Amino acid sequence: MQRYLAATLPGLLMVISGLPVALAADPATNFHSTRAPVPATECQAHVAYDRDLTLPGYLLPTSAGPRTCIPFTTVAAHPTAADRGDFYVDEFTDAKLRERWAACKLDKECHDRVYKQVMARHPPNKEYNLKDAHGRFLLGKIEEKGGDTDLTTIRRPGYFSRPPYNEAIAAVDAQTYMVEFTAPAEPYERLHQNMTADIRIRGWYIQGAGIDDGKGARKRALIIASGGGGDRVTAIDDPVDKAYVIDPKTGDTIPDDDWPNATTGVKGEAAWRQVWFVLHQAGFDVLALDRRGVGISGGFSDTNTLQQGHDLLKIVSDLKSGEGMRALTPAGKVATGHAAAAAVKGATSAEGLPVFFLGSSRGTMSSGWAMTINFDKDCSYDLPAIRCKPPVRDQTVKGTILIADFSSGVGYLESQTTPKDDGRGPGRDRGLFIGGSEVENNIVFFPSSAILAGIHTWPSAFFARGLWCYADGLEGEMDSYSRVKGLKDLVVVRGPHPFETWPAEEKARVEERMIAYARAAVLGQKSFPGRRTWTNMKELVATTGDVWEPSTHPTVVAKP
């Protein structure tokens, strides 16, 4: 155990055994990863936004030169020859992370360092107490009255037709319903705040025309979108604002992420509204949600991604039954219950549409949990004792689309983290942060290895990520991909974690590939054309388009 503590508890020498932690969860499976080979790296290159690090890479021909170093994040932890079993699952379970947190608590330096990060994610989200009227307007905040909230006060897609926004999403206004779902209080709220009231989750339901089945007919299917940490469905995103500036003295990038500011509620939301528009144009229904606790949704806490996974599955169920639902139609009428579900589906049948979960960054955690709970097992990682139940097995769920993905879990934590990451949870102490959040606050934020452990049960999946994404080392995404037995694809781009900063050509390619994947999954196809094939990590890196996120410039290496 000490070797694994060393990877997650820098400076801690004490090893504790026999800790009173419920170990019944995370039952071992006989599944083993078939991750593609990882050739030795060949060079190093600097990346700018949002890492400002020198990373390892492979030498490949590009338009910049025949020996261009293409960098990527790589994993920190590696199994030894003595390790048996599924290393990246077995050594990073929630039970083991709780043990490591218990050991950390006995060392003051470790405890103080990590507990500060745990408390920094302590509910509520800062916008919960936001009183500034202009800031609330930019974020799209509404007056929260639970089930009596006025749905007509939610900003509609048509708002974004005006300059300077000029967003394509405005064209779907006539097909868009304001929807509301009911969800229970989560463990932190019940156990720490004595909150028991239901909360309301809201979003846009954009009704699609159906995808072309190739036989002259159309088939309806639904994509449920869950955003990243800063995303808010109706937030204003002024094109005058930029995601970062470059320090003229150091050349480092300075993220401009203190939102809302004078003109923008959330930077990057326009890019996601464009994705929803493109999916709608392809025929899909799109349900774009604000997670509990932020934006147009109610709630106190927004950090428990496990509960957000439960919310997604409940929404899939409620769209069949109408339980706890309200919907404001484009004509301005409010429907409730079964009538609300029938209105958004355009049919009275209780049969659900084929469903995909589309997650970005934090949304990949909730989407990954929803897939895990539906296909693998349902475990109480946010309660004092971890106990597992059989999966939900809703057969209308056909797969998931994960962009800037965390599904591989903390075992694939990258080898180089930034000081900013190290101070807020995603950095070197991520494993301890997970254990501390579960034990101290009954909150699951970043995933352990629990999602990775069950990916082999998923029917299909689509992955896309920037090469220097901080969610995991590139090997982790390869592992997640390798475990999917059904329809799948993995797209990589020369860019960082946030999708909205990727080159326009690559964003368009990702959109085209996710549509091809989802259409094939809905129609029951075994494959779909246009995939860029690869057999090892160097070949995967070579599948990127020959464009770079603008702040990072190609590094060409001279022949030795």
Side-chain angles (χ1 to χ4, degrees), residues 27-33 85-86 90 453 456 483:
T29 71
N30 293 322
F31 183 84
H32 292 277
S33 170
D86 195 349
D90 298 342
H456 65 283
R483 293 168 187 258

Side-chain angles (χ1 to χ4, degrees), residues 469-481:
C469 179
Y470 69 76
D472 62 2
L474 181 57
E475 300 94 331
E477 200 76 348
M478 294 168 58
D479 194 358
S480 293
Y481 170 86

Side-chain angles (χ1 to χ4, degrees), residues 82-155:
D83 287 304
R84 297 292 183 268
D86 195 349
F87 174 78
Y88 290 102
V89 169
D90 298 342
E91 297 305 327
F92 301 93
T93 64
D94 291 81
K96 288 192 175 182
L97 296 181
R98 290 186 182 200
E99 286 185 346
R100 294 166 196 170
W101 168 243
C104 175
K105 290 175 70 174
L106 299 178
D107 178 90
K108 185 178 187 304
E109 187 279 329
C110 180
H111 171 269
D112 291 351
R113 183 184 73 246
V114 178
Y115 192 65
K116 180 179 179 181
Q117 299 172 46
V118 170
M119 294 307 293
R121 298 279 189 176
H122 190 269
N125 182 281
K126 67 177 183 178
E127 76 181 56
Y128 181 83
N129 293 313
L130 180 64
K131 304 300 182 185
D132 175 65
H134 184 61
R136 291 178 63 85
F137 169 78
L138 292 170
L139 286 169
K141 298 294 288 183
I142 58 177
E143 186 178 1
E144 178 62 44
K145 295 182 179 180
D148 295 324
T149 300
D150 185 355
L151 298 181
T152 66
T153 62
I154 297 175
R155 187 175 288 139

